Amino acid sequence: MAVNIPKITLNDGNKMPLLGLGVYKATGENEVEQAIRDAVLTGYRMIDTASVYKNEEGVGRGIRSCGVPRSELFITTKIWNTAQRVGDIEGAFHRSLDRMKLDYVDLYLIHWPVPGCYPQTWKVLEKLAASGRARSIGVSNFEETHLTQLFEFSGVVPAVNQIECHPLWIRKGLVSYCQEHQIAVQAYAPLARGLYLKREIIQKLAAKYEKTPAQIGLRYLVQRGISVIPKSTHKERIESNADVFSFSLSDLDMALIDSMDEQFRSASIPEDMVGQGVH
């Protein structure tokens, strides 16, 4: 039976699921298409890709073969740093649409805050949003300083900030800042590449709630109002990752997970962004 995944309302009035499928590095033959079909069957409606993932064509095929109307899906993609640097924002956006064979995306993100580029990139995203080709626009990997500069440059507040966030890096300050400014937070690498699943606190809570360690980690995030996009191409894990809405963690157990924070980054920073003010 398909899971009913709750949605959050973004600052532009659009609704985004609290849980979706990440497809980073899913580039094997038919790999991303099958993952999308399995996810949709499980109840997922949000798919998160990016031009740099090199699988937008496969995502498009998955969308067309998954058995639900396009209007029921929430599709996210992102503009890469190179296109920002050469100022080819609209060209990059249309190439993403062409690869997926879509008329619009539900969310278009600036993948990284490229210094000296992202305010101008944002202005083009505003145009794309006004045209309806990008239903919502947002950012990824933005710190408070980048968001503050964007606010000074533009009257349009990002709908979403997609950041690495998990029990080993809870991002309390940045999450609070985003939520205070009505920016929805979405967590990529919410399982930290599996690196916290064997930690004692998570293991004990998994036993206590009769859930998997991954379900405890994902529940911790969605309970904070953070949307999650765990990446998997395995049917069983895709199904298991969705089973996080049938239980709640106590305040005490949430605080226990908070105590695991060690500001640990599991995802790599692109070479061209190292030393550019991204933590």
Side-chain angles (χ1 to χ4, degrees):
M1 192 171 134
V3 175
N4 184 22
I5 296 170
K7 294 179 179 177
I8 52 176
T9 302
L10 304 177
N11 61 24
D12 57 12
N14 294 325
K15 293 186 187 305
M16 180 177 78
L18 255 181
L19 179 135
L21 179 73
V23 298
Y24 175 62
K25 285 190 173 174
T27 53
E29 189 178 350
N30 201 38
E31 187 179 26
V32 74
E33 295 93 322
Q34 190 58 52
I36 289 171
R37 288 192 289 269
D38 290 338
V40 166
L41 209 56
T42 305
Y44 289 68
R45 292 297 179 265
M46 177 163 61
I47 314 296
D48 177 274
T49 186
S51 60
V52 78
Y53 298 170
K54 307 292 185 205
N55 60 10
E56 286 174 317
E57 290 94 342
V59 167
R61 289 191 294 271
I63 290 166
R64 291 188 296 281
S65 67
C66 73
V68 301
R70 163 69 184 99
S71 59
E72 286 186 24
L73 299 172
F74 190 102
I75 309 299
T76 301
T77 193
K78 315 174 192 79
I79 184 160
W80 187 241
N81 305 347
T82 318
Q84 288 195 67
R85 288 198 169 91
V86 299
D88 187 24
I89 317 308
E90 282 206 61
F93 175 75
H94 287 298
R95 286 192 293 278
S96 284
L97 283 188
D98 289 346
R99 285 191 286 265
M100 291 187 283
K101 293 185 166 55
L102 296 179
D103 298 324
Y104 69 94
V105 292
D106 298 273
L107 179 62
Y108 196 52
L109 302 178
I110 299 178
H111 208 149
W112 288 87
V114 176
C117 297
Y118 66 84
Q120 286 72 28
T121 302
W122 185 248
K123 278 294 180 193
V124 181
L125 263 62
E126 288 179 28
K127 276 175 56 184
L128 295 172
S131 76
R133 289 168 293 170
R135 297 279 168 93
S136 296
I137 54 174
V139 297
S140 181
N141 298 298
F142 274 49
E143 306 286 344
E144 289 179 39
T145 49
H146 306 119
L147 292 167
T148 303
Q149 285 175 359
L150 210 57
F151 296 156
E152 289 169 0
F153 189 80
S154 164
V156 179
V157 177
V160 173
N161 186 14
Q162 190 185 105
I163 57 173
E164 179 172 349
C165 187
H166 46 70
L168 298 181
W169 198 16
I170 67 173
R171 312 298 292 268
K172 207 143 214 177
L174 181 57
V175 169
S176 295
Y177 181 89
C178 288
Q179 291 176 340
E180 282 163 18
H181 289 86
Q182 281 75 56
I183 301 170
V185 177
Q186 188 168 65
Y188 71 80
L191 301 174
R193 313 291 193 250
L195 292 171
Y196 64 77
L197 301 182
K198 289 190 164 65
R199 296 289 183 97
E200 188 182 2
I201 287 173
I202 296 292
Q203 291 272 326
K204 282 185 172 174
L205 292 177
K208 175 180 175 179
Y209 288 92
E210 298 181 339
K211 294 290 176 183
T212 68
Q215 287 167 342
I216 297 295
L218 294 172
R219 178 65 208 179
Y220 166 75
L221 292 169
V222 300
Q223 202 161 311
R224 291 170 65 196
I226 297 170
S227 174
V228 293
I229 44 169
K231 182 256 170 169
S232 184
T233 54
H234 302 283
K235 188 172 188 283
E236 298 74 20
R237 281 192 211 140
I238 287 170
E239 291 170 349
S240 178
N241 288 343
D243 186 18
V244 294
F245 301 106
S246 58
F247 73 104
S248 294
L249 298 168
S250 71
D251 290 347
L252 211 57
D253 291 335
M254 289 289 286
L256 204 55
I257 298 174
D258 283 346
S259 75
M260 294 173 64
D261 186 26
E262 51 191 59
Q263 298 182 21
F264 175 79
R265 177 187 284 279
S266 70
S268 57
I269 298 176
E271 280 182 25
D272 65 341
M273 288 300 298
V274 174
Q276 301 286 353
V278 178
H279 302 307

